[in-house]
Amino acid sequence: MIALARLETASGVAPLVDLLADENWWTRRTALQALADMKNVPEARHALGLILPLLEDTEPAVQIVACATVACLADVEDTSAVRALRERLETGASEVQWNAAMALARLGSRAGKLTLLNMLDRGYWEGLDLQYAESGSLVQRKYTEAEVERNLRSTIEAVSGLDDRELTNAIMALKQDRSIL
């Protein structure tokens, strides 16, 4: 699917869109990623209406990638995309909310500002526990230094286009951070 996306041809969109309905969540997630990679193909942008329902997929990993895909394919003035992302911001799991907030920021919306302000605070990330399944067991651990830095950098990148004093101040405070330059 990713190879098909790299071709960046209109004919590659339909097979990927068909896979959005696959029963395997990994397939749906990968098809979304491939469509996001095709952001310069107009036909991929036209598939947005078929992508929005995946923001409510039963699998959070699909919802997370759907947020990023919407951010890649939606136009800034697309109110249906902003509305759908706002719903994920209010009802999704933490990781879905984080990705919805960043997607909204990339679309020029400040709707996720409170979430983004938390995400621009190293202490926020250091205080969270990361939970995931590995080999059939639930793993709970703190974020590593590299993961905290990646999350901070991703958030900075997402909000870079927003003109907001509080977000800018939060980023400026990170200029003093030991790892964010």
Side-chain angles (χ1 to χ4, degrees), residues 47-121:
L48 189 61
L50 300 170
I51 293 166
L52 291 176
L54 291 171
L55 289 169
E56 297 182 32
D57 194 273
T58 57
E59 179 60 44
V62 174
Q63 294 176 25
I64 289 166
V65 177
C67 289
T69 303
V70 170
C72 287
L73 300 179
D75 294 323
V76 173
E77 62 274 357
D78 189 332
T79 57
S80 63
V82 170
R83 187 175 347 148
L85 287 166
R86 285 183 75 148
E87 287 178 24
R88 289 293 85 204
L89 183 64
E90 296 168 7
T91 61
S94 294
E95 291 171 335
V96 176
Q97 290 178 7
W98 300 332
N99 284 276
M102 289 193 298
L104 284 161
R106 287 184 174 108
L107 293 175
S109 173
R110 290 184 187 90
K113 180 177 173 177
L114 294 177
T115 300
L116 294 167
L117 285 168
N118 282 334
M119 294 171 66
L120 289 168
D121 179 358

Side-chain angles (χ1 to χ4, degrees), residues 91-181:
T91 61
S94 294
E95 291 171 335
V96 176
Q97 290 178 7
W98 300 332
N99 284 276
M102 289 193 298
L104 284 161
R106 287 184 174 108
L107 293 175
S109 173
R110 290 184 187 90
K113 180 177 173 177
L114 294 177
T115 300
L116 294 167
L117 285 168
N118 282 334
M119 294 171 66
L120 289 168
D121 179 358
R122 172 178 284 283
Y124 173 76
W125 294 110
E126 291 174 342
L128 290 178
D129 287 332
L130 180 61
Q131 296 180 357
Y132 56 92
E134 185 177 280
S135 303
S137 298
L138 182 64
V139 176
Q140 183 171 333
R141 64 172 176 80
K142 294 293 185 189
Y143 281 88
T144 66
E145 181 70 20
E147 290 167 334
V148 170
E149 289 178 23
R150 184 181 65 237
N151 291 341
L152 290 170
R153 290 178 195 274
S154 295
T155 308
I156 290 168
E157 180 186 332
V159 303
S160 65
L162 291 179
D163 183 22
D164 184 280
R165 181 184 303 209
E166 287 180 281
L167 291 169
T168 300
N169 288 343
I171 293 170
M172 295 307 292
L174 287 172
K175 299 288 183 190
Q176 308 302 319
D177 189 272
R178 63 184 175 269
S179 62
I180 306 298
L181 304 174

Side-chain angles (χ1 to χ4, degrees), residues 4-14 16-17 34-48 51 72-75:
L4 183 61
R6 288 188 181 145
L7 294 174
E8 292 191 336
T9 62
S11 62
V13 174
L16 292 171
V17 167
L35 286 164
D37 290 345
M38 296 179 77
K39 63 182 172 262
N40 297 322
V41 179
E43 289 77 7
R45 298 177 83 73
H46 297 305
L48 189 61
I51 293 166
C72 287
L73 300 179
D75 294 323

